[in-house]
Amino acid sequence: MKTIFRWLRWTLRMTWSLFWGFFWTIGISFLILVGIFYFTDSSASGASGLGHAAQKVVYQAGNLFGDQGFAARFGMAPNSQSNQTDNHEHNGARWDQPEATVYLDPNISQTFIKAYRDAIEAWNQTGAFTFKLVTNEKEANVVLTEMDNASVSAAGETASQTNLLTNRFTHITVRLNRHYLLNYVYNYSYERIVNTAEHELGHAIGLDHNDGESVMQPAGSFYSIQDMDVEAVRQLYKE
Ligand SMILES: [Zn+2]
């Protein structure tokens, strides 16, 4: 009888210490990883940086266990809508000539500045439309900047003002959304960020969405400027 009790007590004690051992291992590993992500991620600071680092650990742990739904249950995995490039509403307007002056906001992410420059270069290369960089924001037809907006399922947006009598643009503001494009969770490559910039500049030219193999596909941002896009610009500005 005594041995049975002793054995039972021993089992309970082992289970208990195993449980606490497991708990502490997980807990301390988590804190260490959060610390590592926090101090190695230069873009994060303060409480939001800590939250960001904690999210990263949960997300990476999910990846480790190969469970796609793991991070989703914490509300931070990409959903189908996050793939959306934007919610652009086409109004059929364009510029008078196939050219526009552009001001590139210097106070935005360096990645976005580079992507915008590459996108401008790509459109100018087509010969169908020319963006001219200017240094005075007030002189610019188009302003290129950024936003950090989690409440829209859009990687970018192009807001236009149009003279309704002539159906010509008067001013456009393009914004790339940091919340999706610069968030490791959504896994955007630099190439797709440039494609998104080219897409928004396509709207700034006057192009509508297109479901073919086109930079103007409304979701995915998998295509750069294609021949059909160049043709669409030529058609739009033909007279
Ligand atoms: Zn669009």
Side-chain angles (χ1 to χ4, degrees):
M1 202 57 186
K2 224 172 185 177
T3 35
I4 289 173
F5 272 122
R6 200 173 285 163
W7 183 81
L8 256 175
R9 210 168 60 186
W10 182 84
T11 314
L12 271 171
R13 202 173 279 166
M14 273 308 284
T15 315
W16 190 242
S17 62
L18 266 176
F19 170 76
W20 277 108
F22 185 71
F23 182 84
W24 279 108
T25 309
I26 295 279
I28 287 169
S29 309
F30 181 78
L31 286 177
I32 289 171
L33 285 170
V34 168
I36 289 171
F37 281 127
Y38 180 71
F39 288 110
T40 56
D41 189 349
S42 57
S43 73
S45 65
S48 78
L50 264 183
H52 188 244
Q55 275 196 1
K56 211 166 189 169
V57 174
V58 175
Y59 184 73
Q60 296 297 344
N63 275 348
L64 197 66
F65 295 112
D67 178 2
Q68 295 283 325
F70 188 82
R73 281 195 286 279
F74 289 85
M76 52 207 205
N79 55 43
S80 57
Q81 287 201 313
S82 64
N83 218 11
Q84 188 92 8
T85 302
D86 56 35
N87 308 303
H88 189 74
E89 285 188 25
H90 192 58
N91 67 1
R94 55 164 239 205
W95 298 98
D96 197 42
Q97 299 295 315
E99 57 185 36
T101 50
V102 182
Y103 175 78
L104 181 48
D105 185 350
N107 303 313
I108 61 174
S109 145
Q110 288 301 310
T111 306
F112 284 170
I113 289 179
K114 194 166 181 299
Y116 274 134
R117 285 185 180 280
D118 285 348
I120 288 169
E121 173 77 10
W123 274 116
N124 288 353
Q125 287 280 328
T126 69
F129 195 95
T130 308
F131 289 106
K132 286 182 201 145
L133 277 167
V134 294
T135 50
N136 186 348
E137 186 174 358
K138 292 196 176 73
E139 284 171 9
N141 300 133
V142 181
V143 172
L144 306 177
T145 186
E146 67 176 20
M147 61 181 173
D148 192 351
N149 192 344
S151 67
V152 290
S153 56
E157 69 174 27
T158 298
S160 60
Q161 287 162 21
T162 304
N163 179 331
L164 295 174
L165 290 175
T166 58
N167 206 25
R168 296 288 184 259
F169 290 133
T170 54
H171 190 265
I172 283 180
T173 304
V174 174
R175 296 180 186 90
L176 292 178
N177 196 349
R178 296 180 69 105
H179 179 76
Y180 296 104
L181 295 175
L182 299 185
N183 189 340
Y184 65 94
V185 167
Y186 299 101
N187 204 26
Y188 275 89
S189 62
Y190 177 70
E191 195 189 349
R192 287 182 64 205
I193 295 175
V194 174
N195 290 348
T196 305
E198 289 177 4
H199 177 101
E200 297 307 330
L201 287 180
H203 286 314
I205 289 170
L207 294 183
D208 194 7
H209 283 157
N210 188 315
D211 288 325
E213 278 188 20
S214 162
V215 73
M216 299 315 292
Q217 272 192 358
S221 55
F222 296 117
Y223 292 101
S224 59
I225 300 164
Q226 305 293 306
D227 288 345
M228 70 178 296
D229 302 315
V230 179
E231 188 49 37
V233 176
R234 292 222 167 91
Q235 283 298 319
L236 184 62
Y237 285 90
K238 102 183 143 185
E239 69 335 303

